[in-house]
């Protein structure tokens, strides 16, 4: 199998001009990082964890450092990861004071008999596993503070990168040389959310899914809408019915939009290495690495392709 990695940086209403280049660099770095893991013989799970960690550490994206703030001005993060080989999965929600929720999700998958830990229990587990605690201030950016101010004063929907009906999330899917697929998704949620609100990102079947017999997917967009239609598993269901990756993506995103007016996006890879990046939001930064080529896009029709070293 030729290894493939796809990443997304979240469905957004629009990305301001001054941020476009930083966002493009961030997703390019994440896709390249994940792809290098695969080229060195790493697993699909290793690759998606690496790619999402890079995005969590980049303050331009709504995950890890750079996460949006809840109504009290705090960061609460959600993440999940899944191995398509045996459907192993790990997830965390409403976690605070850690830099990389995706790493904690993987520890849940590999070091506990459970799939999902939340809030205080997840924090306790993180401490037991030796995950370093970081001060809340280290995760909060000036941009996040401004977004919360705009949202609280009622004029955020027009200008903010994450309007009420959309949420930036980061995610990755991968296919390794052994034919295994995996996904990981991580987010800070939506601006001005209630304390304890959890969206689709940590929920297997909504925020993502991976099954070696079908493929892997990571989603982004309005979490409540994605949860209602089980967007990830719905898309893979269409693939099981014989649809191509493009057709499956269009069908499930179209259904979410027509049924409940929900906007979002997804990255999708089939068990044979076909891939697609699709969205109904205004834009969705994405990047794909395959056959030593890097494909990158932010808006419809602006894809660039460059050779990887």
């Amino acid at each position: 199998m030729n290894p493939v990695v796809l990443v997304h940086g979240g469905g957004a209403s629009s990305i301001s001009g001054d941020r476009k280049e930083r966002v493009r660099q961030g997703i390019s770095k994440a896709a390249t990082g994940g792809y290098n893991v695969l080229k060195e013989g790493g697993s699909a799970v290793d690759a998606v964890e690496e790619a999402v960690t890079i995005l969590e550490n980049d303050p331009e994206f709504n995950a890890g450092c750079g996460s949006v703030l809840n109504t009290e001005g705090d960061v609460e993060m959600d993440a999940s990861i899944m191995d398509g080989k045996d459907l192993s999965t790990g997830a965390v929600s409403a976690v605070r004071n850690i830099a990389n929720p995706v790493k904690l999700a993987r520890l849940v998958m590999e070091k506990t008999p459970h799939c999902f830990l939340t809030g205080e229990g997840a924090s306790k587990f993180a401490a037991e596993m030796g995950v370093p605690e970081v001060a809340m201030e280290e995760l909060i950016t000036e941009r996040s503070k401004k977004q919360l101010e705009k949202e609280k004063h009622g004029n955020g929907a027009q200008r903010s990168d994450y309007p009420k009906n959309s949420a930036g999330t980061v995610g990755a899917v991968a296919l390794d040389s052994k034919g295994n697929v995996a996904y990981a998704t991580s987010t800070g949620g939506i601006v001005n959310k209630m304390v304890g609100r959890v969206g689709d990102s940590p929920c297997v079947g909504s925020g993502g899914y991976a099954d070696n017999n079908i493929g892997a997917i990571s989603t982004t967009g309005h979490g409540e809408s994605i949860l209602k239609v089980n967007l990830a598993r719905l898309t893979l269901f269409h693939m099981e019915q014989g649809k191509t990756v493009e057709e499956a993506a269009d069908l499930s995103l179209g259904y979410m939009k027509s049924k409940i007016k929900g906007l979002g996006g997804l990255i999708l890879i089939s068990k044979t290495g076909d891939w697609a990046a699709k969205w109904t939001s205004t834009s969705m930064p994405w990047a794909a690495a395959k056959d030593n080529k890097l494909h990158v896009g932010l808006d419809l029709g602006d894809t660039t392709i460059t050779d990887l070293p």
Side-chain angles (χ1 to χ4, degrees):
M1 278 291 175
N2 281 356
V4 193
V5 170
L6 237 80
V7 303
H8 71 74
S13 56
S14 62
I15 299 165
S16 56
D18 60 324
R19 287 189 58 231
K20 274 192 172 162
E21 192 45 44
R22 296 196 298 273
V23 167
R24 190 180 287 276
Q25 283 173 358
I27 50 174
S28 301
K29 183 181 171 190
T32 305
Y35 189 62
N36 287 339
V37 167
L38 294 183
K39 283 206 298 188
E40 289 156 16
S43 70
V45 171
D46 294 334
V48 295
E49 180 186 27
E50 174 66 14
V52 169
T53 297
I54 290 168
L55 292 168
E56 285 177 340
N57 292 342
D58 188 325
E60 290 299 327
F61 300 94
N62 176 19
C65 171
S67 288
V68 298
L69 308 181
N70 67 17
T71 184
E72 291 185 356
D74 294 328
V75 164
E76 289 186 307
M77 301 165 290
D78 310 323
S80 61
I81 193 166
M82 188 172 191
D83 186 345
K85 185 167 59 183
D86 58 3
L87 307 189
S88 296
T89 181
V92 293
S93 67
V95 295
R96 299 164 176 240
N97 303 104
I98 63 164
N100 299 112
V102 72
K103 288 183 177 292
L104 186 58
R106 183 167 184 181
L107 288 170
V108 171
M109 176 169 80
E110 295 181 346
K111 306 288 185 190
T112 80
H114 306 311
C115 290
F116 201 148
L117 292 179
T118 194
E120 196 183 330
S123 298
K124 199 174 165 194
F125 172 65
E128 285 166 8
M129 289 288 113
V131 175
E133 196 168 297
V134 299
M136 183 75 80
E137 295 74 55
E138 289 181 42
L139 301 173
I140 296 175
T141 61
E142 280 307 310
R143 191 167 134 256
S144 297
K145 287 182 190 169
K146 283 180 185 151
Q147 281 177 317
L148 182 64
E149 279 306 302
K150 277 182 188 170
E151 195 63 49
K152 279 192 182 292
H153 295 112
N155 61 352
Q158 293 80 33
R159 297 289 311 282
S160 161
D161 282 356
Y162 304 113
K164 280 199 175 72
N165 73 340
S166 148
T169 303
V170 305
V173 293
L175 169 72
D176 65 28
S177 56
K178 293 187 176 133
N180 296 313
V181 296
Y183 94 83
T185 305
S186 180
T187 190
I190 49 179
V191 184
N192 202 28
K193 64 185 180 180
M194 289 171 66
V195 174
R197 177 267 186 190
V198 176
D200 66 288
S201 297
C203 298
V204 175
S206 291
Y209 204 81
D211 182 340
N212 280 8
N213 293 331
I214 320 165
I217 178 172
S218 171
T219 66
T220 176
H222 184 230
E224 283 71 13
S225 298
I226 292 171
L227 280 165
K228 287 171 188 173
V229 302
N230 274 187
L231 185 62
R233 195 62 186 81
L234 178 64
T235 310
L236 292 188
F237 166 77
H238 287 304
M239 285 174 63
E240 284 179 288
Q241 302 296 307
K243 299 284 190 269
T244 66
V245 284
E246 299 264 342
E247 290 166 346
D250 285 338
L251 279 166
S252 60
L253 286 168
Y255 175 75
M256 185 168 81
K257 190 175 177 181
S258 63
K259 184 83 174 172
I260 50 175
K261 298 184 172 59
L263 300 179
L266 58 85
I267 50 172
L268 177 62
I269 192 167
S270 76
K271 62 182 180 183
T272 54
D274 296 326
W275 58 269
K278 292 273 187 174
W279 59 95
T280 48
S281 46
T282 308
S283 57
M284 183 187 78
W286 64 274
K290 184 181 181 180
D291 299 329
N292 277 328
K293 287 197 179 339
L294 181 69
H295 308 246
V296 184
L298 264 65
D299 300 300
L300 282 174
D302 77 343
T303 309
T304 59
I305 304 173
T306 52
D307 289 320
L308 286 168

